[in-house]
Amino acid sequence: MYEEYAVVMKGIVKRFPGVLANDHVDLFVRKGEIHAIVGENGAGKSTLMNQLYGLLHPDEGEIYVFGKKVDMKGPRDAIRNGIGMVHQHFMLVGNLTVAENVVLGSETTKGGFVFDLREARKRVKELSEKYGLHVDVDAKIEDIPVGMQQRVEIIKTLYRGAEILIFDEPTAVLTPQETEELFEVMRRLKAAGKTMIFISHKLNEVMEISDNITVMRLGKVTANLITKETNPREIARAMVGRDVVLRVEKPPHEPKDVVFEIENLWVKDNRGLDAVRGVSFKVRAGEIVGIAGVAGNGQSELVEAITGLRKIEKGKVTLLNRDITGLDPRSLRNMRMTHIPEDRLKYGMVLQYPAYYNMILGKHWWEPYSIRGFLNHPAIFEDSKKLFEEFDVRPRNINMLGGNFSGGNQQKIVVAREVSSQPKFIVVAQPTRGLDVGAIEFIHKTILKLREQDVAILLVSMELEEVFSLSDRILVMYEGEIMGEVKPEETNFEEVGLMMAGKRLEEVRS
Amino acid sequence: MRVIEAILDVFRNPQFYSITLTASTPLIYASLGGVFSEVTGVVNIALEGIMLMGAFVSTAFAYYTGNPWIGILMAMVVGVGIAWLHAWASIKWWGDQIVSGTAIILIAQGITGFLMKPVFGQVGQTDLEKFKMIKHITKDINPIIRPIKLPFPENSFLGQAFGTISPLVILAFVSVFIGWFIIYKTTLGLRMRSVGENPEAADTLGVNVYRIRYFGVLMSGVFASIGGAFLSVGDTGIFKELMTGGRGFIALAAMILGNWNPIGAMFASLLFGASEAFANQLQSSKLIEVSSSVKPLFNMVPFIVTLIVIGGFIGKTRPPAADGIPYKKSE
């Protein structure tokens, strides 16, 4: 049965407490194709793939691999059936070399006990050359760039004889150029007869690389499409269940005076290495300055230094003509600088607090929330209720604990709190990470509304589309330095992508 | 400058080097044990307690059987037993490794103190002659492992420093080499290091994280107990209450200073051993008069050296990334 398919999943049902993660899902993947699975966060893509890889066991349904019915109890069964997974968060051991990582668990040995490193290096080199996966076999994982780490993950699956490769959101951590390289590799693997499943929510990538597309929404398959015969609009509709505006409408708006300025800022990371190296820029009232870059190039440290969470080694920060270098977060908040942090669960809210306390965190010493050192609960309740209405937080229950709201509603609480503090300058970091299309739309609109109200806005995001559609000016950060400043209407993804990979604007344009 | 003369004199004295070896050996064993445990990601501050038990058990068996090697063997068995407790609490039940380790130290101190009277018939410190009298033993008992002679000319400097040496000292260096070989040259070692660094990744590749961590912790029990036993049957032939006196912690410091590498830990142990020998020799130097009330100050030297060295170097060493973090399988 199903001989022409590499993978068939039939009638898959997977329940989690309170959620039907997969509701009678059917998936057909032909031999030798690149099959995309798209859907919003929480649509059930990862759950489905984890069942194929043996990490989860389906409650109902059957799985066939190359026409043979299989029952997988763990990743080892999946590997034995020729399935390999390139995880979104790489499963690599940082202090081991590339070769050691590839063979770990199925090592080459001399006499069964002594590790044969020479043989391991040889085999990894062979695979690397055969499929054009360039890696440095003797480098430690912690010393090589993300793109190469991903190639190591791919080699790991090939070393174990994978015929079917699952890529779980592989481009999330890559620059546009690295993405292009990955697609090159995928095409080569396809030519060598491998079957690939590509999970993504980036429609342009899906259109570029896949042969067939399965769209999922709320645990169900909503469309099976042939890439050549469809378009992004149709896919988006199947993903969201309604027509969506894929591009934000940004009205023209003239920026006013400079509100915020940093000059030659130097900041160290947790390991004591320079993470921000001499960054300078200005943000004016009613202007959105976007910082683009691959994660881990100093953006987090920059934001933390600006918002008073991290020590500034050198440089000067000015807010409303006042030197604020080294001020603590509380003083900065009193000067109307607010901050939507990139990690809302860690820095954005207290999960164990009810929503009404989360609504006043960071301004709880302000009147009317606090009078002579005592919390004024009636005022807190009243304002929380008002903000819940205004920002459409669901459910409308201000007593619910922060941790019990969905991701999108948690972010709305954080945004509501920071926006309602009447900021003069707001730092917005990764505002839409992990949110669905509806919530993204809402947050983008909110940010643009602040711009209308002449708030100075610094936007840091790894999502290039977001930076392009919201910013008035884009700064590209690479290894702690600004590679150049561009206006979104005067540049394109390719140019910014090259800067994200470490080329300066002058080099790119020369 | 009498003091400088006295210090130079210490370094010229072959005895300094022989004491250095004796003082370093327990640290070498225990720090090697620490490396085995922590490389797999389990912090083992219980070393101090395991050493104390090793010292006690080996003395007891040496006294009763008359064979100190049986003492060593039994110390290893008991060491593995205690390490197993630590592994069980911290690997199987995801317990806090510091709390579990501390508990084991306190238990070891309590048990050894309590058992002094029933086992040896005396408290505080053992005395072989008294023990024989109490237990009505008449045959000769040698509670100390017989040193071996190395072929150095008797009166040469080397001969005086290293001419007679305990086989346990030589075994310590051999163990370090074997430990290094296991950790860096075998598949088992590769898996140990992967489990200490990123257990989740190792797990997805079919490496049994729990089993590897158990192995690391149990091995730390073997080595730490030999280290403790060296203090009694390897050197003095007696057991004293709390005789490890913090050496388990200095071994941890040596492990850190040695960057979680058996060879590095060995050199660090030699440094700490040398500082102990130095303090020991200097306070009995004939060139300076040290009043007996000041002598305890000299005993602080190894600890001060530890503090300085750790304070100065700790930023430059890198622990295994998952060290001290219990591994829970997801789901």
Side-chain angles (χ1 to χ4, degrees):
Chain A
M1 221 166 42
Y2 304 124
E3 259 81 28
E4 71 272 38
Y5 293 102
V7 173
V8 172
M9 299 179 82
K10 244 189 125 30
I12 300 291
V13 176
K14 183 72 195 172
R15 294 181 195 87
F16 293 124
V19 197
L20 192 54
N22 282 162
D23 184 2
H24 295 91
V25 172
D26 295 330
L27 176 72
F28 294 86
V29 180
R30 286 179 186 282
K31 281 183 195 164
E33 72 160 332
I34 299 181
H35 191 107
I37 302 181
V38 300
E40 297 193 280
N41 288 293
K45 298 170 298 200
S46 297
T47 307
L48 189 67
M49 286 304 107
N50 284 342
Q51 292 171 85
L52 180 56
Y53 193 58
L55 290 165
L56 294 172
H57 199 261
D59 295 332
E60 285 173 36
E62 292 167 344
I63 300 175
Y64 299 83
V65 176
F66 293 118
K68 196 181 88 195
K69 190 164 179 243
V70 291
D71 180 30
M72 287 178 290
K73 301 205 164 45
R76 267 202 266 191
D77 289 338
I79 292 167
R80 203 170 305 130
N81 281 300
I83 300 172
M85 178 119 138
V86 176
H87 298 268
Q88 185 179 2
H89 304 288
F90 301 149
M91 292 290 179
L92 296 170
V93 184
N95 64 345
L96 300 187
T97 67
V98 167
E100 288 172 334
N101 263 281
V102 170
V103 302
L104 179 64
S106 333
E107 296 89 350
T108 46
T109 63
K110 286 184 272 205
F113 184 63
V114 178
F115 175 44
D116 189 348
L117 182 61
R118 188 177 304 180
E119 179 67 18
R121 293 175 70 246
K122 200 178 115 215
R123 297 240 203 126
V124 174
K125 270 197 185 134
E126 277 166 13
L127 283 170
S128 147
E129 276 157 25
K130 185 169 171 196
Y131 295 102
L133 289 151
H134 170 70
V135 292
D136 175 358
V137 290
D138 297 315
K140 281 191 179 175
I141 292 296
E142 57 199 8
D143 298 331
I144 62 176
V146 172
M148 193 186 283
Q149 293 184 0
Q150 190 170 56
R151 293 196 285 275
V152 177
E153 282 281 35
I154 298 171
I155 294 177
K156 259 166 75 177
T157 66
L158 297 172
Y159 174 79
R160 287 168 177 74
E163 288 300 320
I164 302 162
L165 283 81
I166 306 168
F167 289 86
D168 187 3
E169 307 233 1
T171 60
V173 289
L174 302 181
T175 64
Q177 280 76 14
E178 284 174 328
T179 301
E180 213 28 69
E181 281 172 36
L182 171 68
F183 287 173
E184 247 344 283
V185 167
M186 289 175 74
R187 288 191 194 103
R188 232 172 333 223
L189 289 169
K190 187 173 150 182
K194 308 280 182 192
T195 307
M196 280 161 280
I197 300 177
F198 176 69
I199 303 176
S200 182
H201 58 237
K202 294 185 182 166
L203 302 185
N204 50 345
E205 293 176 356
V206 169
M207 291 301 294
E208 184 183 342
I209 193 72
S210 70
D211 300 304
N212 287 292
I213 305 169
T214 297
V215 187
M216 289 183 73
R217 190 166 90 84
L218 301 172
K220 288 195 180 115
V221 172
T222 51
N224 285 298
L225 304 166
I226 300 165
T227 311
K228 271 186 290 199
E229 298 167 8
T230 187
N231 57 60
R233 182 165 291 273
E234 190 182 5
I235 306 172
R237 198 184 305 128
M239 271 169 73
V240 186
R242 62 178 163 89
D243 275 312
V244 272
V245 192
L246 289 173
R247 233 185 142 77
V248 196
E249 291 302 314
K250 189 174 68 179
H253 183 80
E254 199 53 45
K256 309 275 177 340
D257 301 333
V258 172
V259 170
F260 177 82
E261 182 174 2
I262 59 176
E263 289 164 75
N264 190 26
L265 192 75
W266 288 74
V267 185
K268 284 192 177 0
D269 65 13
N270 290 340
R271 293 167 300 167
L273 307 172
D274 287 324
V276 177
R277 293 135 50 111
V279 167
S280 309
F281 60 81
K282 296 174 187 176
V283 189
R284 288 176 290 174
E287 182 188 41
I288 301 178
V289 173
I291 300 214
V294 180
N297 275 287
Q299 299 99 316
S300 306
E301 287 81 4
L302 174 69
V303 166
E304 285 169 14
I306 290 175
T307 53
L309 296 167
R310 187 176 281 275
K311 195 180 150 213
I312 293 169
E313 303 293 329
K314 210 163 81 183
K316 190 176 167 199
V317 190
T318 318
L319 178 64
L320 296 164
N321 298 321
R322 211 185 119 189
D323 184 352
I324 58 158
T325 316
L327 279 191
D328 60 287
R330 181 167 173 152
S331 317
L332 294 173
R333 281 190 175 268
N334 286 340
M335 290 184 67
R336 306 288 179 190
M337 175 199 285
T338 69
H339 174 205
I340 298 171
E342 64 173 56
D343 188 345
R344 61 179 162 268
L345 300 179
K346 210 164 146 197
Y347 296 109
M349 57 193 326
V350 181
L351 300 178
Q352 298 84 352
Y353 274 10
Y356 55 80
Y357 280 151
N358 276 302
M359 274 294 188
I360 61 154
L361 277 179
K363 50 182 172 180
H364 50 275
W365 60 82
W366 292 1
E367 287 201 21
Y369 307 123
S370 183
I371 296 170
R372 285 182 291 278
F374 289 94
L375 287 176
N376 178 8
H377 281 96
I380 293 170
F381 296 152
E382 196 187 320
D383 274 22
S384 296
K385 277 191 196 131
K386 233 166 40 200
L387 288 170
F388 261 60
E389 285 298 325
E390 193 183 324
F391 285 82
D392 190 29
V393 185
R394 293 176 205 194
R396 292 268 201 286
N397 177 1
I398 62 162
N399 295 310
M400 201 158 104
L401 298 186
N404 293 343
F405 287 89
S406 71
N409 284 296
Q410 287 175 336
Q411 187 69 343
K412 280 182 178 179
I413 292 176
V414 174
V415 169
R417 178 184 69 218
E418 301 299 322
V419 167
S420 66
S421 308
Q422 294 148 352
K424 293 270 196 279
F425 173 57
I426 184 164
V427 180
V428 183
Q430 299 270 54
T432 56
R433 175 149 80 182
L435 302 189
D436 60 48
V437 176
I440 292 175
E441 228 177 347
F442 181 87
I443 283 172
H444 284 173
K445 276 187 188 151
T446 308
I447 294 173
L448 287 171
K449 208 156 46 177
L450 287 171
R451 174 170 169 267
E452 302 263 293
Q453 294 161 0
D454 284 332
V455 176
I457 301 160
L458 180 67
L459 168 73
V460 179
S461 177
M462 314 299 150
E463 298 291 336
L464 215 42
E465 304 235 8
E466 183 167 82
V467 176
F468 264 76
S469 56
L470 291 178
S471 312
D472 295 304
R473 288 186 287 135
I474 300 173
L475 303 171
V476 185
M477 220 170 153
Y478 173 78
E479 296 200 336
E481 290 182 61
I482 302 290
M483 291 292 116
E485 178 188 319
V486 286
K487 289 207 156 98
E489 58 274 15
E490 293 166 5
T491 184
N492 53 41
F493 274 25
E494 199 201 332
E495 202 172 80
V496 172
L498 285 170
M499 294 202 284
M500 284 163 71
K503 285 236 172 12
R504 289 184 187 279
L505 183 60
E506 309 86 78
E507 297 172 61
V508 176
R509 291 204 169 152
S510 65
Chain B
M1 286 304 287
R2 285 183 93 88
V3 177
I4 291 176
E5 188 55 34
I7 289 173
L8 289 176
D9 196 49
V10 167
F11 289 119
R12 279 191 222 110
N13 188 345
Q15 227 186 337
F16 165 73
Y17 299 92
S18 106
I19 296 179
T20 294
L21 271 192
T22 314
S24 303
T25 299
L27 301 179
I28 292 173
Y29 279 115
S31 62
L32 179 61
V35 169
F36 262 89
S37 176
E38 298 213 0
V39 142
T40 68
V42 184
V43 169
N44 193 353
I45 66 161
L47 293 180
E48 173 80 7
I50 299 173
M51 286 177 85
L52 190 62
M53 288 296 277
F56 179 87
V57 171
S58 58
T59 315
F61 277 91
Y63 278 23
Y64 276 100
T65 65
N67 184 342
W69 285 104
I70 294 180
I72 295 274
L73 206 66
M74 292 315 292
M76 283 162 67
V77 170
V78 171
V80 166
I82 310 169
W84 180 80
L85 270 182
H86 182 56
W88 179 76
S90 57
I91 301 171
K92 177 110 193 271
W93 297 106
W94 314 313
D96 187 297
Q97 297 165 10
I98 302 291
V99 173
S100 161
T102 309
I104 285 172
I105 295 172
L106 295 176
I107 290 170
Q109 292 179 345
I111 287 186
T112 51
F114 167 74
L115 288 180
M116 284 295 288
K117 183 90 184 159
V119 172
F120 298 109
Q122 29 195 326
V123 289
Q125 181 170 341
T126 61
D127 181 317
L128 187 57
E129 290 314 311
K130 243 165 127 191
F131 171 79
K132 280 162 76 174
M133 234 159 61
I134 296 166
K135 301 286 174 190
H136 309 292
I137 299 171
T138 47
K139 63 169 181 178
D140 267 351
I141 291 177
N142 174 25
I144 303 177
I145 285 178
R146 209 181 306 279
I148 50 177
K149 291 229 181 283
L150 292 185
F152 294 121
E154 192 114 344
N155 287 322
S156 68
F157 189 84
L158 277 178
Q160 285 176 353
F162 308 123
T164 359
I165 196 167
S166 167
L168 284 180
V169 175
I170 295 163
L171 190 65
F173 291 98
V174 174
S175 304
V176 166
F177 177 75
I178 293 174
W180 172 83
F181 188 82
I182 290 177
I183 292 173
Y184 288 100
K185 295 289 161 192
T186 67
T187 56
L188 176 65
L190 185 68
R191 291 174 184 203
M192 286 171 71
R193 286 181 286 144
S194 74
V195 158
E197 188 74 15
N198 188 345
E200 209 182 350
D203 197 11
T204 58
L205 297 173
V207 174
N208 189 328
V209 176
Y210 293 134
R211 199 184 297 163
I212 299 273
R213 287 194 164 180
Y214 260 93
F215 172 76
V217 176
L218 296 188
M219 287 303 281
S220 79
V222 171
F223 289 120
S225 61
I226 302 178
F230 179 80
L231 291 171
S232 54
V233 299
D235 185 20
T236 56
I238 59 166
F239 178 80
K240 240 192 305 189
E241 258 189 78
L242 308 181
M243 80 184 297
T244 46
R247 284 184 180 80
F249 294 105
I250 296 201
L252 283 177
M255 168 196 77
I256 294 169
L257 184 60
N259 208 5
W260 286 267
N261 177 316
I263 306 224
M266 176 192 80
F267 280 116
S269 298
L270 285 170
L271 172 70
F272 293 138
S275 64
E276 191 180 327
F278 176 75
N280 178 305
Q281 290 293 91
L282 192 62
Q283 62 182 293
S284 52
S285 168
K286 292 183 185 68
L287 290 169
I288 48 172
E289 278 170 38
V290 180
S291 77
S292 59
S293 61
V294 184
K295 283 191 174 170
L297 283 180
F298 282 85
N299 296 332
M300 290 170 24
V301 169
F303 301 93
I304 293 168
V305 170
T306 308
L307 269 182
I308 292 170
V309 168
I310 289 288
F313 285 86
I314 200 160
K316 294 167 191 72
T317 61
R318 178 187 173 286
D323 200 10
I325 305 165
Y327 179 64
K328 289 188 196 187
K329 256 183 178 313
S330 52
E331 238 197 301

